[in-house]
Amino acid sequence: MIFPQYPVFSDTCATLVSGLIALSVLRVWEETAKRGLFDQKLNRKLVHISIGLVFMLCWPLFSSGYRGAVLAAVTPGVNIIRMFLIGSGIWKDEATVKSMSRYGDYRELLKGPLYYAATITLACALYWRTSPIAIAAICNLCAGDGFADIVGRRFGGRKLPYNKNKSIAGSVAMAAAGFFTSVGFMYYFSYFGYIDESMEIVLGFLVVSVASALVESLPISTELDDNLTVTLTSILVGSLVF
């Protein structure tokens, strides 16, 4: 906590700080998109990977308990509203559209980016930093799904037999990135005393990451949106193994 002797004030400050940090990271990627420093698809995935993980790094700023979880969820919660307004055409923000959409259509923000913000909000508010489920859900969504696309586009020559739109390299990269990032955050939160390190949790992360990668590789994930299917899989499988 920032000010342990004033918990409410401290959580309010933590909300502002974490929101400012997340916004700053987003502005960096919006600027790179505007300047064309990266391919648009790569820039979009860099946003996808970084925002949720950077936000999760800010969780120790908040108090333990439900108040801290709810106030922490305000930052991604505000982004739900933002995605809805931009995706509906009510709020014009070309930089955000360019950095987060596949084809430059603002209406795309009502799908993947909106599901992304909603996932992080719910994982934060419902499970919080003491739960491996929150870690697994966010890490597989951000790192796992993000690296699956980046690696798959570059080394995805060999396609999966049941889905020609997905590659073996991409699926392996997703499982590996989701797993190793989850383990990394387990150690990060254990340093603050929020969660215990254990081989049981590590194995649970492995099961969740492999299951999430498998579901992401199925054709239904493309039809529904993998931001949704990966999250649901992580939560459902995580509820069984943790």
Side-chain angles (χ1 to χ4, degrees):
M1 292 177 64
I2 300 175
F3 303 107
Q5 64 273 38
Y6 306 109
V8 176
F9 177 68
S10 181
D11 282 338
T12 302
C13 291
T15 301
L16 296 175
V17 170
S18 61
L20 181 61
I21 291 173
L23 181 61
S24 298
V25 173
L26 181 58
R27 291 304 182 197
V28 169
W29 297 127
E30 288 177 357
E31 190 64 26
T32 59
K34 186 189 302 183
R35 295 174 181 270
L37 297 180
F38 302 112
D39 172 80
Q40 184 172 347
K41 292 183 175 64
L42 175 59
N43 200 95
R44 184 175 66 87
K45 283 302 174 181
L46 291 174
V47 174
H48 187 98
I49 292 169
S50 61
I51 294 296
L53 300 182
V54 168
F55 171 64
M56 197 155 54
L57 288 173
C58 296
W59 285 5
L61 297 175
F62 294 86
S63 65
S64 300
Y66 192 63
R67 185 188 61 241
V70 170
L71 287 176
V74 167
T75 296
V78 168
N79 211 36
I80 294 176
I81 299 172
R82 185 165 170 264
M83 292 301 100
F84 177 78
L85 293 176
I86 297 174
S88 300
I90 299 172
W91 180 2
K92 305 297 182 182
D93 190 337
E94 291 302 322
T96 297
V97 172
K98 192 171 183 180
S99 67
M100 291 189 175
S101 64
R102 283 186 173 90
Y103 308 109
D105 186 344
Y106 66 89
R107 290 170 294 187
E108 292 179 56
L109 272 64
L110 291 176
K111 295 182 179 179
L114 183 62
Y115 299 151
Y116 179 95
T119 291
I120 296 174
T121 302
L122 292 175
C124 180
L126 297 180
Y127 295 102
W128 198 212
R129 62 196 181 194
T130 58
S131 172
I133 297 175
I135 296 174
I138 295 177
C139 288
N140 282 292
L141 171 66
C142 298
D145 186 49
F147 278 103
D149 186 82
I150 293 173
V151 173
R153 289 182 186 279
R154 282 156 178 74
F155 307 103
R158 296 185 63 183
K159 303 299 182 182
L160 294 170
Y162 53 87
N163 188 353
K164 298 303 180 182
N165 293 320
K166 301 290 184 178
S167 68
I168 295 174
S171 294
V172 171
M174 176 171 180
F179 170 66
F180 286 116
T181 308
S182 296
V183 173
F185 270 96
M186 178 192 73
Y187 283 110
Y188 176 68
F189 287 135
S190 71
Y191 175 80
F192 296 96
Y194 304 141
I195 193 171
D196 293 328
E197 304 170 13
S198 72
M199 185 55 63
E200 182 181 351
I201 293 179
V202 171
L203 291 175
F205 283 143
L206 180 60
V207 171
V208 173
S209 295
V210 170
S212 297
L214 176 61
V215 170
E216 192 272 344
S217 72
L218 298 175
I220 191 173
S221 284
T222 303
E223 296 173 10
L224 294 178
D225 195 288
D226 50 16
N227 286 340
L228 188 60
T229 57
V230 167
T231 299
L232 291 176
T233 301
S234 295
I235 291 175
L236 290 175
V237 176
S239 298
L240 295 176
V241 300
F242 295 123

